[in-house]
């Protein structure tokens, strides 16, 4: 027998706000069969808990709550008045005592089950009389959801197995799946009325009714096919599998104190993204990613190294858009502001703008794309144009740029670009740059990466790119650099690119409006071990509970918290032996590796 229930027609009269809400939120149809329901475009079946273990411990419902699928668990609780509970206990104890005396008169050995039940009833009666416990009538029901009927059968079998692991017996609500489904909805109505008496201690051990794992896809949603392994959930021992490319945006932020394992985790993420044919670019301040790049055949650009030059005046290769020269001029304004550690005054900015246009004209480069293949000017050419300008502001600006043109900092800009970074993994190494050039080097690397991300044409269609900025506080502490990073976090999604910001200096990220904006534009948020001095700021920014604060303060290396909107779960980063050899930076581990070859 099948029955079908449909929503009333839109023009039918409604009685009150509840009818309007039901018409809005109810499924399009409900098809009832003896063994399952078809709710909308999915299937559901209700299981009733009929047998409970003799003793339960804390979180005894965890195996059901952490089942990796969609499972609605409803716990209906009705308190029993104390006089009624005491009378029932007296009756139950009288039955146990009668059974014990009857066995003794007949010369039988005492039944251990009766003895145990009698002792438990006596202990419960004592606690009830002292007010240390109460009795409740409890009904526990499970509704399992799936996309198809075969998947529903498999899911129900898995839920039964998970329940049996904790000595919980479940039975299907055959012929009563519709009342079972409504019982597990948030309506506070128990239509099945299959209850069991529990005391306060056993009932309290069932809370909290929350799962430590990420939610499974809803029925009707397409199956997830992407993603990478983040690690193991220490609470449920489940797999934490995450796909940043299926989220609202593809950005992530990793915050942790020094030594918490943030670079180790990021290297594992990079390696697993490469398995998915994602092109990755890394800004590496401490040469932590070089062994990984060598192992996978990536490209390494050592800024500050002998013969390595970057010309910020270069125009993007193959970009024929009419505004390419204008966009390059705007970037040069940002670069000069970073070189000077401040935005130039209006008079100097006007002189700079004139000089940028003039230096390109001297090189024969105009807005016509046909001229963009000509050799680009250098920073010293810009300084020469400023010197020849009659405006005193231009001469002042040229004097301020002297250390970058003729002085100690000129080595990075005094020749045309010597390398064209290309490949599935490009690592921009900044370790050989002095501290005074770190921010500038990071900005130049980001600009080169952005030009590859923003490149027009069929080469960029369908290619996913991930940009990793390690030790992002180097750029966050500079206003113009932080603006450039914010631009990448906002505009990367439209170009099929994601930004991963990694930093140990939480204050530099959260203390500025631009830093908070970068965090707000990262759907995937990773928090590893935090310092006590920064935990209050982190807790306020990410809405951490007291338990999550304690977890992050005492977390071991590689343990952390994955946050995505309302979803959050703990995880422990795990790796294979080959991955560990590429990701670790411990001197003891590196000494043990020696010259051993790593095969992926």
């Amino acid at each position: 027998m099948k029955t079908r229930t449909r929503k009333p027609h839109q023009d039918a009269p409604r009685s009150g706000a509840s009818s309007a809400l039901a018409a809005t939120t109810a499924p399009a149809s409900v098809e009832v069969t003896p063994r399952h329901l078809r709710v909308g475009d999915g299937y559901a079946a209700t299981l009733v808990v009929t047998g409970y273990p003799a003793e339960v411990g804390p979180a005894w419902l965890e195996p059901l709550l952490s089942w990796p699928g969609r499972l609605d668990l409803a716990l209906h609780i009705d308190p029993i008045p104390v006089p009624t509970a005491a009378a029932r206990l007296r009756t139950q104890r009288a039955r146990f005592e009668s059974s014990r005396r009857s066995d003794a008169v007949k010369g039988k050995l005492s039944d251990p089950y009766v003895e145990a039940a009698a002792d438990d009833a006596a202990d419960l009666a004592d606690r009830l009389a002292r007010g240390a416990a109460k009795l409740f009538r409890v009904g526990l029901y499970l509704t399992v959801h799936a996309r198809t009927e075969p998947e529903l059968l498999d899911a129900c079998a898995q839920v039964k197995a998970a329940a049996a692991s904790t000595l919980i017996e479940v039975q299907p609500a055959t012929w009563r799946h519709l009342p079972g489904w409504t019982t597990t909805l948030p309506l506070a109505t128990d239509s099945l009325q299959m209850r069991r008496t529990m005391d306060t201690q056993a009932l309290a051990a069932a809370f909290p009714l929350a799962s430590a794992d990420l939610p499974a896809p809803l029925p009707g949603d397409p199956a997830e096919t992407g993603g990478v392994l983040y690690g193991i959930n220490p609470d449920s021992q489940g797999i934490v599998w995450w796909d940043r490319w299926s989220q609202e945006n593809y950005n992530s932020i990793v915050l942790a104190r020094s030594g918490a394992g943030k670079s180790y985790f990021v290297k594992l993420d990079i390696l697993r993204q490469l398995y998915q044919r994602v092109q990755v670019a890394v800004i590496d301040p401490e040469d932590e990613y070089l062994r990984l790049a060598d192992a996978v055949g990536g490209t390494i650009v050592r800024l500050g190294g002998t013969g390595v030059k970057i010309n910020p005046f270069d125009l993007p290769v193959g970009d024929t858009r009419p505004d390419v020269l204008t966009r390059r001029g705007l970037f040069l304004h940002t670069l000069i502001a970073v070189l000077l550690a401040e935005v130039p005054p209006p008079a100097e900015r006007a002189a700079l703008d004139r000089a940028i246009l003039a230096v390109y004209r001297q090189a024969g480069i105009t807005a016509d794309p046909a001229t963009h293949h000509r050799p680009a000017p250098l920073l010293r050419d810009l300084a020469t144009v400023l010197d020849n300008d009659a405006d005193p502001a231009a001469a002042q600006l040229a004097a301020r740029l002297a250390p970058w043109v003729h002085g100690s900092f000129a080595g990075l800009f005094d020749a045309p670009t010597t390398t064209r970074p290309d490949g599935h993994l490009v690592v921009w190494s900044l370790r050989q740059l002095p501290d005074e050039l770190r921010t500038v080097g990071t900005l130049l690397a980001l600009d080169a990466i952005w030009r590859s991300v923003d490149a027009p044409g069929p080469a960029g269609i369908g290619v996913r790119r991930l940009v990793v900025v390690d030790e992002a506080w180097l750029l966050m502490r500079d206003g113009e650099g932080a603006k450039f990073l914010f631009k990448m976090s906002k505009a990367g999604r439209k170009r099929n690119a994601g930004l991963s910001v990694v930093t140990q200096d939480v204050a530099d990220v959260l203390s500025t409006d631009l830093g908070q904006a970068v965090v707000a534009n990262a759907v995937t948020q990773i928090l590893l071990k935090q310092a006590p001095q920064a935990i209050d700021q982190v807790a306020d920014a990410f809405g951490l509970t007291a338990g999550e604060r304690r977890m992050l303060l005492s977390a071991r290396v590689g343990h952390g918290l994955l946050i995505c909107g309302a979803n959050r779960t703990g995880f422990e980063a795990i790796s294979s032996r080959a991955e560990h050899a590429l990701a670790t930076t411990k001197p003891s581990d590196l000494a043990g590796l020696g010259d051993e070859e790593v095969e992926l």
Side-chain angles (χ1 to χ4, degrees), residues 16 192 227 271 276 304 321 380 403 481-482 504 521 581:
L192 295 178
L271 189 57
Q276 306 292 333
R321 286 175 289 186
R380 64 169 175 261
Q504 66 183 19
N521 281 280

Side-chain angles (χ1 to χ4, degrees), residues 82 122-134:
V82 175
D123 176 68
L124 182 57
D126 291 341
R127 290 191 287 116
L128 191 66
R130 294 193 300 268
K134 293 183 178 181

Side-chain angles (χ1 to χ4, degrees), residues 8-278:
H9 192 270
Q10 295 292 335
D11 297 332
R14 297 185 176 93
S15 58
S18 59
S19 299
L21 177 63
T24 303
T25 61
S29 64
V30 177
E31 181 179 333
V32 183
T33 69
R35 299 186 181 277
H36 66 264
L37 298 177
R38 185 172 182 180
V39 183
D41 55 356
Y43 291 79
T46 300
L47 304 176
V48 181
V49 177
T50 57
Y52 295 83
E55 295 184 1
V56 294
W60 57 279
L61 290 179
E62 182 61 29
L64 296 177
L65 295 172
S66 61
W67 179 70
R70 185 186 172 190
L71 176 68
D72 297 334
L73 186 149
L75 191 64
H76 291 265
I77 305 169
D78 286 332
I80 301 176
V82 175
T84 304
R88 292 181 180 178
L89 274 176
R90 282 195 299 270
T91 303
Q92 191 68 17
R93 292 181 66 190
R95 291 175 181 171
F96 289 143
E97 186 63 25
S98 175
S99 298
R100 293 166 66 178
R101 292 183 180 182
S102 175
D103 291 341
V105 169
K106 295 178 181 179
K108 295 181 179 179
L109 295 175
S110 60
D111 188 342
Y113 293 101
V114 175
E115 294 289 339
D119 293 341
D120 291 342
D123 176 68
L124 182 57
D126 291 341
R127 290 191 287 116
L128 191 66
R130 294 193 300 268
K134 293 183 178 181
L135 292 185
F136 302 86
R137 295 287 293 172
V138 178
L140 184 57
Y141 312 100
L142 315 169
T143 296
V144 185
H145 297 264
R147 299 183 186 87
T148 63
E149 188 173 350
E151 290 182 6
L152 180 64
L153 295 176
D154 293 340
C156 289
Q158 294 176 15
V159 172
K160 289 181 180 179
S165 66
T166 55
L167 303 180
I168 296 176
E169 297 181 7
V170 296
Q171 297 295 334
T174 305
W175 290 103
R176 303 186 66 189
H177 285 287
L178 182 59
W181 176 56
T182 59
T183 297
T184 57
L185 293 176
L187 303 176
T189 302
D190 185 356
S191 304
L192 295 178
Q193 292 292 326
M194 300 185 68
R195 305 292 186 90
R196 173 72 176 267
T197 302
M198 289 188 187
D199 65 343
T200 306
Q201 185 177 1
L203 185 58
F207 289 85
L209 288 177
S211 173
D213 290 315
L214 296 171
L218 295 176
D221 289 348
E224 297 182 357
T225 57
V228 299
L229 175 66
Y230 270 21
I232 298 293
N233 189 330
D235 298 324
S236 66
Q237 298 303 310
I239 298 295
V240 180
W241 190 273
W242 188 250
D243 185 10
R244 69 161 69 221
W245 306 104
S246 65
Q247 308 306 315
E248 297 172 3
N249 63 57
Y250 314 139
N251 304 326
S252 67
I253 184 166
V254 182
L255 299 179
R257 66 181 301 175
S258 178
K262 61 182 181 303
S263 295
Y264 187 96
F265 165 77
V266 172
K267 279 180 273 191
L268 295 180
D269 186 27
I270 290 173
L271 189 57
R272 292 161 186 171
Q273 294 289 345
L274 291 174
Y275 297 154
Q276 306 292 333
R277 299 182 182 275
V278 177

